[in-house]
Amino acid sequence: MEKTEEIIKRYYRGETSIEEEKFLRAQYRSGHLKEDPFLSLSYPSLPLPSELNEKIRQAIRQQKKCALRRIYITVGSIAAIAILLLSLKGIFPAYKGKTLQLSDNMKRERFEDALRVIGNVLEKPAPSQEKVLYEDKNLIIAIE
Amino acid sequence: MTEHEFNESILPLAQHIYDFAANLTGNRTDAADITQDVLFKLWNSRNELSKIKNLRAWALKITRNLYYDTVKKYKPLYNEAQMFLHEQGASDLMTTIDNQETAALVRQIIETLPDTQREVILLREVEELEYDEIAQITGLGLNNIRTILSRARSRVKELLVKKYKISKYD
């Protein structure tokens, strides 16, 4: 009995183990600890609603179907975009910029023009015919 | 986690979740809704469940959090004022009191306790969880849990003895 009293004191201090609490409840149910009505506390386990587990399973299956559907839609969209891009490429062929087509005569004329310009640049200029009328360190007067 | 593994390891927790939710809410319909929501959450996080050591405590933690997210809808089944209105019936209660009725009375008193005391009592007395499991669910410290439990038990006993003048329990 002393031991039980000590356990009860620790019980109300929150210091007992689960096994000790089970022991106290068993003592109460067998009529030994009527002075501690708290030990009568019991919550009977309630029956689960019968359809609960089935509802959960159905919801899980539904979610899996939705996930698969999203994957199909994503893959289908990507495929549709790819097909659209390929078909647009077929309708609008690649742009080719215009190039200048020169005839052989035109090429020859342009080549001769280029040579003439180069020649003009390289040619020394002919000495100019001029007569100096006046010259000092600041001024030169000359006529051609 | 496959659907089969989920059905084998998680669905059996539905009873614990439902009992805890029913004791928190006092309403079986709401308890069923909370239980469904908890199981959906567990399904959606099934890939992380293998890292959790104590699935039962984890499920009860989610249950508790869901209850508090909707706690504005709920109110205690009884409050002290309502109980005292039934004082006239207390004498009748005394004469016919037996274990079952005492248990019902204790449950009624527990419904009037503050939320924290009530949930700690439910987790300890009903779910028979260890203090560290209760700490994991509630986020409270171990010493705090012992203190709360002590106060709650003492308060219930005090109410039983003093308010209802149940002399044989003096």
Side-chain angles (χ1 to χ4, degrees):
Chain A
M1 197 59 184
E2 275 185 356
K3 183 189 171 192
T4 307
E5 282 178 6
E6 184 55 39
I7 296 174
I8 289 171
K9 285 180 187 172
R10 289 195 291 110
Y11 177 76
Y12 282 102
R13 289 199 298 262
E15 294 172 1
T16 44
S17 66
I18 289 181
E19 288 69 32
E20 286 173 327
E21 290 167 18
K22 284 180 181 174
F23 165 74
L24 289 177
R25 282 194 210 101
Q27 288 286 298
Y28 178 85
R29 280 194 293 272
S30 60
H32 291 115
L33 293 171
K34 284 294 183 186
E35 62 275 14
D36 284 286
F38 188 87
L39 294 169
S40 69
L41 178 62
S42 67
Y43 282 81
S45 191
L46 299 169
L48 273 178
S50 54
E51 69 281 2
L52 182 69
N53 278 354
E54 190 50 37
K55 266 190 188 176
I56 302 297
R57 290 196 187 97
Q58 278 180 7
I60 288 170
R61 278 186 222 120
Q62 189 64 28
Q63 200 191 51
K64 284 167 81 174
K65 279 184 191 170
C66 288
L68 273 173
R69 204 176 296 135
R70 273 198 297 274
I71 292 170
Y72 290 148
I73 289 171
T74 306
V75 169
S77 302
I78 292 169
I81 290 168
I83 290 167
L84 185 64
L85 288 173
L86 288 171
S87 57
L88 283 173
K89 193 175 179 187
I91 292 169
F92 300 105
Y95 174 76
K96 292 182 184 175
K98 286 185 180 176
T99 57
L100 188 61
Q101 300 289 333
L102 295 174
S103 65
D104 289 342
N105 282 337
M106 286 170 76
K107 285 179 189 174
R108 195 180 304 114
E109 283 175 16
R110 291 197 182 191
F111 183 68
E112 287 172 0
D113 286 342
L115 286 176
R116 197 172 301 117
V117 168
I118 292 169
N120 289 342
V121 169
L122 293 176
E123 219 175 51
K124 283 186 181 173
S128 57
Q129 302 285 328
E130 58 183 29
K131 184 174 180 182
V132 175
L133 297 176
Y134 173 77
E135 184 181 2
D136 66 16
K137 65 178 178 182
N138 294 323
L139 175 68
I140 298 174
I141 301 173
I143 55 171
E144 283 188 1
Chain B
M1 184 183 280
T2 64
E3 185 180 344
H4 175 73
E5 287 166 348
F6 183 86
N7 291 342
E8 292 292 310
S9 62
I10 303 297
L11 280 189
L13 296 175
Q15 185 66 62
H16 293 286
I17 296 167
Y18 182 70
D19 286 342
F20 188 46
N23 291 331
L24 282 176
T25 62
N27 180 314
R28 291 192 191 190
T29 308
D30 292 328
D33 290 342
I34 288 179
T35 305
Q36 257 187 301
D37 291 343
V38 170
L39 291 171
F40 286 150
K41 280 181 179 279
L42 289 170
W43 168 253
N44 288 333
S45 62
R46 62 193 178 278
N47 294 328
E48 283 83 39
L49 292 182
S50 57
K51 300 172 196 167
I52 295 168
K53 290 177 189 172
N54 191 334
L55 280 173
R56 183 180 162 208
W58 181 251
L60 292 180
K61 179 174 183 161
I62 297 173
T63 308
R64 173 193 179 271
N65 291 344
L66 267 176
Y67 163 70
Y68 279 111
D69 285 344
T70 55
V71 75
K72 286 180 185 173
K73 291 197 300 185
Y74 302 116
K75 50 188 177 180
L77 287 177
Y78 301 92
N79 56 44
E80 267 193 64
Q82 285 176 313
M83 291 185 75
F84 296 149
L85 286 175
H86 296 285
E87 265 191 57
Q88 283 193 328
S91 59
D92 294 333
L93 197 62
M94 278 170 60
T95 57
T96 58
I97 204 161
D98 62 10
N99 279 358
Q100 276 187 331
E101 291 183 6
T102 309
L105 188 58
V106 172
R107 285 200 294 272
Q108 287 178 18
I109 293 173
I110 285 173
E111 293 299 325
T112 69
L113 294 176
D115 282 339
T116 310
Q117 288 185 6
R118 191 157 58 91
E119 66 178 353
V120 169
I121 278 195
L122 289 174
L123 290 169
R124 180 66 174 187
E125 304 287 350
V126 181
E127 300 294 330
E128 294 183 340
L129 294 177
E130 296 288 352
Y131 289 132
D132 57 347
E133 290 174 314
I134 296 173
Q136 182 189 347
I137 293 169
T138 59
L140 298 167
L142 291 176
N143 288 335
N144 200 2
I145 289 168
R146 289 194 186 94
T147 306
I148 290 169
L149 198 55
S150 168
R151 283 181 189 160
R153 286 170 175 165
S154 302
R155 176 71 177 151
V156 172
K157 183 177 180 179
E158 175 195 337
L159 280 174
L160 276 172
V161 172
K162 291 185 181 177
K163 300 298 181 186
Y164 282 86
K165 300 179 175 58
I166 302 175
S167 58
K168 65 177 177 173
Y169 294 123
D170 261 333

